[in-house]
């Protein structure tokens, strides 16, 4: 299992995220994701589901650390609010 630390982009949902990675990983690679955000630390296990040009990896969450789940929910709420305030759906 690959460990990755990064800052999330706005391409984030409760089911996974899309990130730019320094080196691509093959589809089905399992990873531990660790990202600090203003809401708190979020640690999750995920699997690569697709690769986009430019080394962007689409991850599907397979598990989120229980105590970090509220942080993920708060982050998603904040990102939705930012999108609405900027006129994005």
């Amino acid at each position: 299992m690959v460990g990755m630390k990064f800052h999330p982009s706005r391409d984030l949902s409760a089911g996974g995220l899309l990130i730019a990675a320094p080196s691509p990983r093959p589809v089905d690679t399992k990873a531990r994701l660790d990202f600090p955000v203003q809401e708190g630390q979020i640690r999750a296990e995920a699997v690569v589901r697709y690769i986009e040009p430019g080394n962007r990896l689409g991850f599907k969450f397979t598990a989120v650390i229980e105590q970090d789940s509220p942080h993920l929910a708060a982050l998603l709420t904040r990102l939705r609010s930012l999108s609405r305030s900027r006129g994005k759906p």
Side-chain angles (χ1 to χ4, degrees):
M1 185 173 295
V2 176
M4 298 181 75
K5 289 189 178 209
F6 60 92
H7 292 282
S9 69
R10 286 203 165 83
D11 297 324
L12 175 73
S13 72
L17 74 159
L18 180 67
I19 63 168
S23 59
R25 306 284 185 208
V27 170
D28 293 329
T29 298
K30 293 179 181 179
R32 286 191 185 111
L33 306 177
D34 182 5
F35 48 105
V37 293
Q38 82 182 38
E39 290 78 8
Q41 189 74 16
I42 300 172
R43 294 161 293 175
E45 292 183 5
V47 63
V48 176
R49 282 294 169 229
Y50 60 92
I51 304 168
E52 289 188 352
N55 295 339
R56 289 172 52 95
L57 301 177
F59 284 95
K60 176 182 177 183
F61 294 137
T62 56
V64 176
I65 301 295
E66 188 174 344
Q67 70 246 31
D68 296 352
S69 291
H71 303 157
L72 178 58
L75 173 61
L76 291 170
T77 298
R78 178 169 59 88
L79 293 177
R80 279 191 296 270
S81 175
L82 285 173
S83 290
R84 281 191 292 266
S85 69
R86 292 183 181 152
K88 296 178 185 174

